[in-house]
Amino acid sequence: MTRYSRQDLLRILHLQPRQLAAWEREGLFPIIEADEQYSFEHLARLRALREMRSKRISARSIKAQVDAMQRVAGMRNALVETSAVRRGARLAFRHGGALVDPLTQQLAFDFANLSGGQLKVVRNGNPSFAAGAVQQASQLQEMFARAVQLEENAATLNDAMDLYDEILEMKPDHAPACINLGTIHYNQRDFAMAERMYRRATEADPSYALAFFDLGNVLDETQHLHDAIAAYQTAIKLVPQYADAHYNLALAFERQGERRRALRHWMAYVRLDPIGPWAAHAKGQARKILALERLSIVSRSGMRVSAAS
């Protein structure tokens, strides 16, 4: 079985160390001794947490609802055994072709996963889907879980990619499959294909902030800084409290020499995530920019004059 170091997890999922530490503090992710390694299940759990973070769900809320789902459904790890989606201010979990709200213990049809199903209206006014559509939704969920599992081992990585391709043949707008397939290509340094898959995810779900964030990362990697900035800005527009997007956008603006625009996002990052080494770096960058700005005065005409004159 493939094992992962802490640095492997951070690299594969584009996570910051302080975010992983925060999830450990909240009890959402187990604390592993320094000399131990992580399993695929740990990787899958982090992938799910990363998606929830992009949807602006607090760690406390995630923990309460994951615990509730595990109690209701008798699961050991709802983050690995199901797929979580946001419904209003809460999470629901895809399970067996339905959406389960663990706090209310209510079931709802999974409309997002039943594309292509025929809607029938019965006499009581409640919608129901043809059995084939429900079966397809369940099949897609099982295929996706299996593809994620195949990523565990380098020897079966190609099988995972083939399975993601099969999912996308059945459901071309399956954004999570696009994201995972794009991340495999990214880690293989096939940035052109990674960009293609991330763009496909943004087209499949234009409200998917994580897709725009990942797109920004690959565009940044390939030195398409202007387009990367646009992608990060879209992620922030969708989720204004997306701390990681603020951080990367600040870095991108600094590389463009746009210190004032970078300052806004350094400060936003510090407000959203004030503790840890990454916050310290953001504060340090903000202080440098403010110190440089104090050295000059910008006239109304846009001409700079020395602050001493």
Side-chain angles (χ1 to χ4, degrees):
M1 179 181 293
T2 303
R3 309 297 291 184
Y4 304 91
S5 70
R6 193 178 186 87
Q7 286 305 313
D8 287 335
L9 296 184
L10 299 175
R11 174 182 54 80
I12 291 169
L13 296 177
H14 310 294
L15 283 175
Q16 305 292 354
R18 44 96 197 153
Q19 183 58 63
L20 180 52
W23 285 331
E24 288 171 333
R25 287 195 302 271
E26 291 288 341
L28 283 166
F29 193 74
I31 298 175
I32 303 293
E33 295 298 327
D35 58 343
E36 293 184 16
Q37 290 192 305
Y38 298 85
S39 68
F40 170 73
E41 185 173 313
H42 292 121
L43 180 65
R45 182 184 294 195
L46 277 183
R47 190 194 297 275
L49 286 170
R50 177 176 178 262
E51 292 239 2
M52 293 179 202
R53 175 175 170 80
S54 74
K55 296 172 184 175
R56 200 173 59 180
I57 302 173
S58 71
R60 182 174 298 179
S61 178
I62 292 170
K63 186 169 190 338
Q65 290 169 86
V66 167
D67 287 348
M69 184 63 186
Q70 290 174 177
R71 288 195 302 271
V72 167
M75 294 178 174
R76 187 174 64 85
N77 189 343
L79 287 174
V80 175
E81 297 173 57
T82 68
S83 175
V85 296
R86 182 168 182 165
R87 296 189 78 206
R90 293 210 300 266
L91 287 175
F93 296 83
R94 286 193 173 110
H95 186 58
L99 285 175
V100 182
D101 183 329
L103 296 181
T104 64
Q105 299 188 26
Q106 291 180 336
L107 298 178
F109 281 111
D110 189 358
F111 289 87
N113 260 5
L114 295 177
S115 62
Q118 294 181 352
L119 183 66
K120 296 193 301 185
V121 179
V122 295
R123 291 191 178 185
N124 63 6
N126 293 326
S128 64
F129 286 89
V134 176
Q135 289 174 355
Q136 186 194 55
S138 181
Q139 182 185 2
L140 285 169
Q141 183 175 320
E142 291 173 5
M143 290 170 66
F144 184 79
R146 193 161 73 252
V148 170
Q149 208 164 20
L150 288 168
E151 290 186 55
E152 174 183 2
N153 193 324
T156 57
L157 191 59
N158 288 336
D159 294 330
M161 297 171 73
D162 289 342
L163 196 50
Y164 284 131
D165 283 332
E166 189 176 341
I167 290 169
L168 291 171
E169 285 180 12
M170 295 174 62
K171 191 175 190 296
D173 61 347
H174 197 293
C178 293
I179 286 288
N180 287 8
L181 191 51
T183 300
I184 291 172
H185 286 298
Y186 184 97
N187 290 326
Q188 292 177 336
R189 303 192 68 78
D190 184 354
F191 298 130
M193 185 57 75
E195 179 184 344
R196 186 181 305 174
M197 297 312 303
Y198 291 148
R199 286 194 185 278
R200 185 169 173 178
T202 66
E203 292 162 3
D205 186 354
S207 65
Y208 199 176
L210 178 61
F212 286 99
F213 178 74
D214 281 344
L215 177 60
N217 287 339
V218 73
L219 290 168
D220 199 343
E221 184 73 36
T222 55
Q223 307 301 311
H224 293 91
L225 199 53
H226 179 78
D227 292 337
I229 285 171
Y232 290 139
Q233 286 174 324
T234 301
I236 290 169
K237 183 177 180 180
L238 290 168
V239 182
Q241 293 180 324
Y242 199 160
D244 292 343
H246 282 288
Y247 190 99
N248 286 10
L249 184 53
L251 286 172
F253 276 136
E254 285 214 358
R255 287 201 297 276
Q256 277 197 334
E258 298 188 61
R259 293 195 303 264
R260 289 189 175 187
R261 298 181 77 181
L263 176 63
R264 172 187 172 191
H265 295 284
W266 286 131
M267 296 179 74
Y269 181 86
V270 170
R271 286 195 301 272
L272 294 167
D273 198 356
I275 299 172
W278 299 98
H281 179 259
K283 291 174 186 176
Q285 293 302 106
R287 282 195 295 268
K288 288 179 185 177
I289 294 170
L290 288 170
L292 287 169
E293 290 299 318
R294 281 196 293 269
L295 296 177
S296 64
I297 299 171
V298 180
S299 70
R300 289 186 180 182
S301 64
M303 299 292 291
R304 290 183 180 271
V305 296
S306 170
S309 57

